[in-house]
Amino acid sequence: MSPNATLGEPMSAEFDKVSGNAYPSSDSLYGGGTSGDSNSYGATFDLSFSPLANVSSIVLQVQIGAAFGYDFVDGALPVLSVNGTPVSLLRDEVTHQAQNGFYLGLPVYVDTYGLQWDLSGFSDPVIDLEISFDVVQHSQLYGLRLDQSDSVVPSSILPIPEPSGLFLCAFAFSGFVTSRRRTC
């Protein structure tokens, strides 16, 4: 799967299944297989993309449905390689988790991961960027989002915006006005 761009052009990326039994299902990439064991290898995926000028930060969001309590094989999170060299994660967090039914009597959860890598101290020119990861059998990959920036965000990867005080006051006031109209 890739966008309507050629790798190497600005804003281009390519997402590939490198190996394994994964295939497209109705709303996800299903980590197929026949094993009923937990934490069994399903597939390897690779995301190759062109760096923006002066890239300092890479953020990847992954939404994946777990199988038997696992989503990534052995819990190993995606790995970013810059010019072929793996880079340590700056931060990772599960930003959202929701139950999505049951499989063989066990609850199935969809996890949204936020992963960030800091490239600001990288001395060589960034030419080649690649993220790879292994998913377990029966997992479901629902979505990916890749962001590049020329600065490193110092706080949470996916901050949840809080409503402004003015909005809350306006909302409370409208509730008050509505309740006053009903009683008159």
Side-chain angles (χ1 to χ4, degrees):
M1 295 170 42
S2 60
N4 294 327
T6 303
L7 193 59
E9 290 181 359
M11 302 301 290
S12 67
E14 186 172 320
F15 180 69
D16 296 307
K17 178 183 82 168
V18 177
S19 62
N21 296 317
Y23 57 87
S25 65
S26 60
D27 62 352
S28 67
L29 287 175
Y30 179 70
T34 58
S35 174
D37 296 334
S38 62
N39 201 24
S40 296
Y41 170 80
T44 298
F45 292 105
D46 183 64
L47 180 63
S48 302
F49 53 101
S50 303
L52 295 177
N54 302 318
V55 64
S56 292
S57 178
I58 302 290
V59 173
L60 177 69
Q61 298 169 43
V62 180
Q63 188 175 49
I64 185 169
F68 304 113
Y70 293 91
D71 35 33
F72 298 111
V73 176
D74 294 328
L77 295 174
V79 174
L80 171 69
S81 294
V82 176
N83 302 338
T85 303
V87 176
S88 298
L89 274 167
L90 174 63
R91 66 176 57 91
D92 64 89
E93 56 190 76
V94 175
T95 60
H96 185 263
Q97 184 179 61
Q99 187 175 347
N100 187 27
F102 292 88
Y103 180 74
L104 298 177
L106 299 171
V108 175
Y109 292 97
V110 176
D111 298 322
T112 303
Y113 287 86
L115 310 166
Q116 183 180 26
W117 293 271
D118 179 0
L119 307 182
S120 62
F122 209 82
S123 59
D124 295 332
V126 176
I127 299 169
D128 179 46
L129 295 167
E130 179 179 280
I131 298 174
S132 61
F133 55 95
D134 297 333
V135 298
V136 299
Q137 285 186 24
H138 309 299
S139 64
Q140 295 183 317
L141 186 60
Y142 290 103
L144 298 169
R145 179 179 170 149
L146 177 69
D147 292 296
Q148 300 184 50
S149 176
D150 58 1
S151 63
V152 179
V153 179
S155 61
S156 176
I157 296 169
L158 302 172
I160 299 170
E162 295 184 28
S164 71
L166 181 59
F167 174 76
L168 286 176
C169 289
F171 182 75
F173 180 74
S174 68
F176 174 76
V177 169
T178 303
S179 67
R180 296 297 276 169
R181 286 184 184 159
R182 285 189 214 142
T183 58
C184 294

